[in-house]
Amino acid sequence: MEEQGDVVSFGPFRLHQGQRKLLCCGVEVRLGGRAMDVLRVLAKKKGALVHSDELFAAAWSDVFVHESNLKVTVAALRRTLREYSPSHEYIGNVVGRGYWLSSDVRPLSSSDDIPRSAPLPELRTIIGRDEEIAELCETMVHYRLSTIVGAGGMGKTTVAVAAAQIFEDEAGHAVTFVDLARVVSEEFVASTIAAALGISVEGKDVLPAAASLLARRKALLVLDTCEHVQREVARICDVLLDDTANLRILATSRRVLGSQFEHVVWLPPLTVPPEGQDDTVEAVLAYFGPQLLTTLASDKAGYRIAEKDAPAIAEICRRLDGAPLAIELASSRLKGRSADLVLGELEDRFRRLRRDGPGGPLRQQTLLLTLEWSYALLTRSEADALRAISSFSGTFVTDSVIYVGAALELVPATVVEAISGLLGKSMLSIDQGAGEPRYRLLDSTRAFARDLLVAHDELDRVSARHAHLQLEILERANSEQAGMPVRDWQMLCAGQVDDLRKAIDWVLYGRRDLLLGIKLVAAGLPLWQTLSLDLEISRNCTTALAELDGIDCKDPTLELNLAVGLAAVNALLSNDTEKTIATIQRAIDLARVALDANAEFRALGALVLYAVLRGTQSDPTGTLEAMGKAAIRTNDPFALWEQQHVYAFWESCSGYFSSGHARLESIFVELDAYPEHLLTKSQVNTKLMMRTNFAATAWYAGKIGRAQKLVNETLEMALAVGHGLTLAYCLGTGLIDALLQMGDYQQAEYGIDLLERTIDRHGLGAWVAKAKCYRAAFEAFSQRSRDPGRLRLAFDGLGGKAANVEHQAYFAMLAGAMLEAGHIDNVLEVADFVFTLGTQRWARPEFLRIKAGTERAKGQIDRAVATLRASLLDTDEIEAPSFKFRVAYDLASLLHERGASIEARELIAPLYDQFSDGFDTRDLRRARELLEQLA
């Protein structure tokens, strides 16, 4: 740990003590005020142990708080540091004594390297919940599903988040927080959980992908506000817990879920003084309700309880049933008022509201009555702003409230003042994060305020304004995306998606403003593409285009953008060939009419991709040439390289690996000479993807030594870029495959470990099946395990996507691994499955070779020889020297066993002599040993 002036350095972090600012590699790390207080004290001690009492005094001066506050704050601080430096732990502790900040960091174990969700909701001072939090942490050790059940406003989320942070810190279960309050119906529960985990697949694939991801490490899933989707949450919990071993789920709900795994923890109200025990401050503050009320009032208004206030403070807490949210709302009224006066206001309001108000459970009535009382005490502008704010699904900034507030004739200065007032009266909470402050409504307050919006007949005006705001935010963000840091863009997308869905649902699917809804869909395309929400793109673009045909719209680019967006995703998703080709052709025609070369280039690329993946066009060279002409018209050299990359992809999929590799080589002669600083971030990542294909095709093209060199170089470059999806693509689509093909099992294992960690850290659930395939194949080829179950599970995990050409490569690898492990029946099942589907041209020789292996294992030697000869003839129809050599080796070894050694040598020796390097790879080693025997 280094100190220069008031700057303390540890790891990649720089703490500027005087400015209360923490930087990581020049990027500001936003911490809550108390977390910053704790960090500053730890930093001052330069690695020495700091007693807990000293930390309490620094972060909670003049306020008595409970022990759980320090634990939660330290856990949150550790979690934030891990977000920026995931591989190390910087804060140590001695149980029961204190904490220290260490520059001699310890590496985190692999169990720490798991998906990190968005920051947990920030907690304020926790009072009166130490026992419940401790009990919950203990419960999560013994029970896999714990549900906190209590009335609204009882503080269920606070207790859940506090327990989750401590459990993550002490038990090593990384937390993913899922806010289900925004989910409008049960059908969206699974996709919301998947989104929180970073999984992009939808529909029936969501839960298996989520289970696969969660099964890999110790994880804690926090499902908040489940009561309105109770049955679906219970079903999902049962599925996930059945399919995982180390997963824990913590749920909050007003009702018991009904899951078979469930253990219920009932959350009681805060304790309040009974009648007759409220004469003194000491007696009253022995109970948690008054402690919370006076602490919050002190924080907000500088309130200090006097002896004469004790009975009134106790009575306020009794009247509010010890409900923390109701007590928090009441605390703001103690600013400049005596406790007796506040009690009088409360009793008067309760009398009138209970007389005229709705029925219901007593504690729910208490919360509603408290909200109504608090609302009645707002200024007019605060009340107007609160109703406008209820339109937001997630967090929001001041400018957004100003925009939406205009629907209620609120001016900017009034909105700023109203937000300050709502914060002070506990109607709003503030989220700490990078950039300007963001605010949020508690779920109960949002529902209450939205009902008022309906009652005031303002819902249409405010919702329309909210939808226009989303369009403005997206159009501005899309124009600024190129210059925006990747992390900032991804955070913007994740934070905006719920409000975008709400707006589209209101204006498009509610048919209130079709043109605005169509524009929102077009503007939302980059956001959905970033979040890999392909099904959402397909559904919304299809609806928008259908509606566009029926309205008078003078903007041709709108239809073009929607058509190109739909074409791009349908090339990957759709099984309806006729409809998909018509969709893509529509995009091409629109682009040509608009003379938009970029759009035409993208649409033609989608057509080629679909043709290759689905086998709808035997020779797409005409489309590729048209794509090349469009690339020229874009005046972007990178577009030309992308076209050549797509061309090489088609050649490789068609079995012309040598031609494809040569084409990629010519790309890199030009691309490597192109100044790196002129490439955008996405182009840098695309360049790496191209290089991955260049490395992988080198092996198939018989350039073994080059393949070895390129694989290792590309892996180093992908690690240096530090982009999770790019690294997963490089590992999962080429590098690991090449390493396994070459028999470099040590490096392959490193690559598989890295792919699994990347999937976990970045929540890339769609890559889980491929990682399982590689892991199972590696264990079979390296003879670590001959377990047929793992190989079979890997095959089943890919089974639903067999029509995709890339999966035939994985099937071939699995079948080869099954053959290596001696699982003949499984090999035949995979081979029959692929032959029934129809093998791609490049894959047929390899599957014939594998089939011959099963025949050989069954003693059907003549049949095996015939099959291998057929495979060898097929290799003459493609350009894949390494495949041909592998088939020739199998045939030569079989001929040698039958005594035809001369024929065997004449077959294998000339092919072996064509190689000039890579002699330490598996196939060449085997061939060398065979040639020595034949000699």
Side-chain angles (χ1 to χ4, degrees):
M1 190 178 305
E2 299 177 4
E3 183 172 4
Q4 295 180 345
D6 76 336
V7 179
V8 177
S9 302
F10 58 99
F13 297 99
R14 303 292 180 269
L15 174 62
H16 296 257
Q17 299 258 35
Q19 301 176 41
R20 293 176 62 85
K21 181 181 290 188
L22 179 66
L23 302 178
C24 178
C25 302
V27 177
E28 184 174 359
V29 180
R30 293 296 296 267
L31 297 175
R34 298 217 159 95
M36 177 60 75
D37 291 336
V38 169
L39 181 60
R40 291 178 70 206
V41 173
L42 294 174
K44 286 179 182 178
K45 294 294 184 177
K46 301 178 183 178
L49 183 72
V50 182
H51 198 276
S52 299
D53 290 343
E54 189 174 346
L55 295 173
F56 271 115
W60 292 274
S61 57
D62 301 325
V63 178
F64 173 76
V65 294
H66 297 256
E67 181 183 357
S68 60
N69 286 274
L70 180 58
K71 285 186 176 181
V72 169
T73 300
V74 172
L77 178 56
R78 282 173 166 163
R79 192 174 203 269
T80 300
L81 295 179
R82 289 183 196 131
E83 288 289 335
Y84 288 83
S85 181
S87 303
H88 294 92
E89 185 68 271
Y90 295 93
I91 299 177
N93 71 294
V94 176
V95 178
R97 292 184 61 195
Y99 301 85
W100 75 89
L101 182 66
S102 176
S103 57
D104 184 19
V105 293
R106 67 173 180 85
L108 292 173
S109 66
S110 60
S111 63
D112 294 304
D113 192 15
I114 52 185
R116 303 286 175 185
S117 69
L120 291 167
E122 187 173 349
L123 298 179
R124 285 169 282 189
T125 302
I126 303 170
I127 289 177
R129 294 305 193 191
D130 278 20
E131 289 185 10
E132 287 84 356
I133 292 169
E135 177 191 350
L136 197 54
C137 289
E138 185 66 22
T139 296
M140 286 189 287
V141 172
H142 300 291
Y143 297 94
R144 301 188 61 207
L145 169 59
S146 304
T147 305
I148 306 173
V149 179
M154 208 53 62
K156 298 183 292 295
T157 301
T158 295
V159 172
V161 171
Q165 289 190 337
I166 292 172
F167 195 73
E168 177 183 45
D169 202 43
E170 296 181 352
H173 285 65
V175 178
T176 298
F177 181 84
V178 186
D179 181 5
L180 294 177
R182 308 176 192 177
V183 176
V184 295
S185 66
E186 291 187 339
E187 66 179 299
F188 298 116
V189 174
S191 60
T192 300
I193 293 172
L197 291 167
I199 297 171
S200 60
V201 293
E202 298 187 32
K204 63 184 178 63
D205 290 329
V206 165
L207 291 183
S212 295
L213 192 63
L214 292 167
R216 307 173 78 79
R217 298 288 188 268
K218 292 160 60 175
L220 172 62
L221 198 58
V222 181
L223 305 179
D224 190 41
T225 315
C226 301
E227 56 271 2
H228 61 303
V229 286
Q230 163 199 358
R231 288 181 298 178
E232 179 65 4
V233 170
R235 183 188 74 83
I236 288 172
C237 288
D238 288 344
V239 170
L240 293 178
L241 293 172
D242 265 333
D243 292 345
T244 58
N246 293 315
L247 173 65
R248 296 291 187 272
I249 299 177
L250 176 59
T252 71
S253 177
R254 297 183 186 182
R255 296 185 291 174
V256 175
L257 300 180
S259 164
Q260 60 177 314
F261 295 96
E262 186 174 26
H263 177 79
V264 176
V265 178
W266 296 93
L267 190 63
L270 295 177
T271 56
V272 298
E275 298 276 359
Q277 295 187 25
D278 54 10
D279 295 336
T280 65
V281 170
E282 182 179 1
V284 167
L285 292 185
Y287 296 88
F288 295 136
Q291 285 182 28
L292 179 62
L293 178 59
T294 55
T295 300
L296 293 175
S298 174
D299 285 348
K300 295 173 186 174
Y303 173 78
R304 293 291 182 269
I305 184 171
E307 289 292 337
K308 63 182 178 62
D309 291 339
I313 291 291
E315 184 60 24
I316 289 172
C317 294
R318 284 195 293 266
R319 295 301 304 271
L320 297 177
D321 297 319
L325 177 56
I327 289 173
E328 181 176 355
L329 291 169
S331 67
S332 63
R333 303 304 302 160
L334 288 168
K335 182 176 183 179
R337 291 177 176 83
S338 69
D340 284 323
L341 180 58
V342 172
L343 176 59
E345 291 176 350
L346 179 63
E347 289 180 332
D348 179 63
R349 191 71 185 175
F350 270 34
R351 274 193 299 272
R352 286 188 284 119
L353 291 174
R354 284 189 188 280
R355 182 181 66 242
D356 303 327
L362 181 60
R363 287 204 176 100
Q364 294 304 325
Q365 288 187 56
T366 298
L367 177 58
L368 178 59
L369 292 171
T370 306
L371 283 166
E372 290 177 338
W373 173 52
S374 299
Y375 179 78
L377 298 173
L378 299 177
T379 67
R380 179 176 177 177
S381 61
E382 289 168 352
D384 291 345
L386 181 68
R387 296 196 305 277
I389 285 168
S390 70
S391 63
F392 295 104
S393 294
T395 61
F396 51 88
V397 296
T398 301
D399 284 347
S400 295
V401 184
I402 290 172
Y403 190 99
V404 174
L408 302 182
E409 300 180 353
L410 291 169
V411 299
T414 302
V415 169
V416 173
E417 184 179 348
I419 288 175
S420 177
L422 291 170
L423 276 172
K425 294 171 183 176
S426 298
M427 301 297 279
L428 276 185
S429 59
I430 186 168
D431 276 5
Q432 293 290 347
E436 63 182 308
R438 300 189 68 86
Y439 307 96
R440 70 165 64 241
L441 282 177
L442 296 177
D443 302 326
S444 301
T445 311
R446 183 189 297 112
F448 169 78
R450 185 170 177 81
D451 287 343
L452 290 171
L453 201 61
V454 175
H456 283 70
D457 196 25
E458 298 165 338
L459 184 60
D460 287 349
R461 278 185 289 153
V462 170
S463 296
R465 189 72 178 169
H466 172 267
H468 279 285
L469 171 65
Q470 303 315 307
L471 180 61
E472 184 174 300
I473 289 173
L474 289 171
E475 288 180 342
R476 183 172 61 248
N478 292 341
S479 68
E480 297 172 352
Q481 180 187 356
M484 191 181 297
V486 173
R487 183 186 181 96
D488 290 352
W489 169 252
Q490 291 171 338
M491 288 178 64
L492 184 149
C493 291
Q496 209 63 36
V497 67
D498 287 316
D499 277 304
L500 175 59
R501 287 169 176 158
K502 183 176 182 179
I504 288 175
D505 187 61
W506 177 263
V507 295
L508 180 62
Y509 293 99
R511 301 184 63 80
R512 291 175 175 88
D513 187 338
L514 291 176
L515 182 57
L516 175 58
I518 292 165
K519 288 180 177 179
L520 275 169
V521 173
L525 286 170
L527 179 149
W528 291 316
Q529 288 161 356
T530 297
L531 299 177
S532 299
L533 296 173
D534 291 344
L535 286 180
E536 201 158 336
I537 293 175
S538 180
R539 180 173 61 249
N540 289 331
C541 283
T542 300
T543 301
L545 284 167
E547 296 291 359
L548 188 62
D549 290 337
I551 66 173
D552 183 22
C553 177
K554 306 298 184 184
D555 184 0
T557 61
L558 197 55
E559 183 181 7
L560 175 59
N561 290 336
L562 291 169
V564 172
L566 183 59
V569 296
N570 279 4
L572 298 172
L573 295 176
S574 178
N575 290 316
D576 187 333
T577 300
E578 184 177 348
K579 185 176 180 180
T580 301
I581 291 178
T583 298
I584 297 174
Q585 190 60 52
R586 177 183 183 179
I588 294 170
D589 293 342
L590 288 168
R592 286 172 175 168
V593 169
L595 301 178
D596 189 327
N598 280 297
E600 183 184 353
F601 175 78
R602 288 160 53 207
L604 288 166
L607 184 59
V608 174
L609 184 63
Y610 191 75
V612 173
L613 294 182
R614 307 292 176 173
T616 59
Q617 195 174 344
S618 59
D619 185 0
T621 52
T623 308
L624 283 163
E625 288 172 2
M627 189 181 176
K629 292 177 182 177
I632 292 171
R633 292 198 304 275
T634 66
N635 293 319
D636 180 2
F638 203 88
L640 283 168
W641 297 323
E642 282 194 83
Q643 184 267 347
Q644 287 294 292
H645 180 221
V646 173
Y647 209 127
F649 176 66
W650 168 70
E651 288 174 322
S652 298
C653 290
S654 301
Y656 302 117
F657 289 104
S658 297
S659 296
H661 182 73
R663 190 179 299 277
L664 289 168
E665 185 173 14
S666 68
I667 292 175
F668 278 101
V669 170
E670 300 174 15
L671 189 52
D672 285 342
Y674 194 74
E676 190 83 6
H677 70 275
L678 295 180
L679 298 178
T680 67
K681 292 183 178 67
S682 97
Q683 288 175 338
V684 170
N685 295 336
T686 302
K687 178 181 175 180
L688 267 174
M689 294 174 185
M690 293 180 186
R691 186 173 286 277
T692 295
N693 295 334
F694 186 39
T697 55
W699 180 83
Y700 291 95
K703 302 181 183 300
I704 311 298
R706 173 183 284 186
Q708 290 175 306
K709 181 174 182 290
L710 285 172
V711 165
N712 291 322
E713 286 178 353
T714 305
L715 180 54
E716 288 181 11
M717 293 168 67
L719 282 168
V721 167
H723 184 249
L725 184 58
T726 299
L727 181 58
Y729 178 93
C730 295
L731 289 165
T733 63
L735 301 186
I736 295 174
D737 174 79
L739 290 166
L740 288 172
Q741 300 286 7
M742 293 185 291
D744 188 349
Y745 299 129
Q746 181 177 352
Q747 190 72 345
E749 183 178 24
Y750 169 73
I752 295 166
D753 289 343
L754 183 58
L755 176 60
E756 290 173 342
R757 292 199 303 271
T758 302
I759 289 170
D760 289 345
R761 178 177 296 170
H762 297 279
L764 305 175
W767 293 82
V768 169
K770 296 175 183 178
K772 284 187 173 183
C773 171
Y774 284 133
R775 175 64 68 184
F778 160 74
E779 291 188 351
F781 284 131
S782 64
Q783 300 184 349
R784 293 275 186 91
S785 169
R786 293 182 175 271
D787 177 19
R790 185 185 285 267
L791 288 161
R792 180 56 198 247
L793 283 173
F795 170 63
D796 290 342
L798 293 168
K801 305 179 180 68
N804 193 315
V805 68
E806 67 168 342
H807 284 81
Q808 294 209 1
Y810 297 100
F811 288 144
M813 177 167 290
L814 284 174
M818 291 170 176
L819 183 63
E820 189 84 12
H823 306 311
I824 303 304
D825 290 341
N826 286 341
V827 178
L828 290 171
E829 182 178 356
V830 175
D832 289 344
F833 177 67
V834 174
F835 279 121
T836 300
L837 288 169
T839 55
Q840 295 289 326
R841 190 166 178 269
W842 69 268
R844 179 175 170 79
E846 178 67 358
F847 276 105
L848 285 174
R849 184 189 71 82
I850 292 168
K851 182 182 178 183
T854 65
E855 294 166 342
R856 183 177 185 178
K858 291 182 175 182
Q860 300 169 345
I861 305 303
D862 289 342
R863 183 177 293 181
V865 170
T867 302
L868 285 170
R869 291 191 190 279
S871 175
L872 199 60
L873 285 173
D874 277 352
T875 62
D876 290 334
E877 300 298 319
I878 62 175
E879 299 171 0
S882 290
F883 269 170
K884 182 171 186 175
F885 184 73
R886 188 174 281 177
V887 175
Y889 167 79
D890 283 5
L891 180 56
S893 64
L894 197 54
L895 291 171
H896 176 52
E897 288 180 8
R898 300 182 71 182
S901 298
I902 294 175
E903 182 184 358
R905 183 172 181 81
E906 289 175 348
L907 174 64
I908 193 68
L911 295 175
Y912 182 84
D913 290 341
Q914 290 178 6
F915 293 97
S916 58
D917 52 24
F919 295 107
D920 56 339
T921 57
R922 180 184 62 183
D923 291 347
L924 291 179
R925 286 199 309 269
R926 288 178 175 180
R928 185 167 60 251
E929 292 170 0
L930 177 60
L931 284 168
E932 289 171 355
Q933 295 173 24
L934 292 172

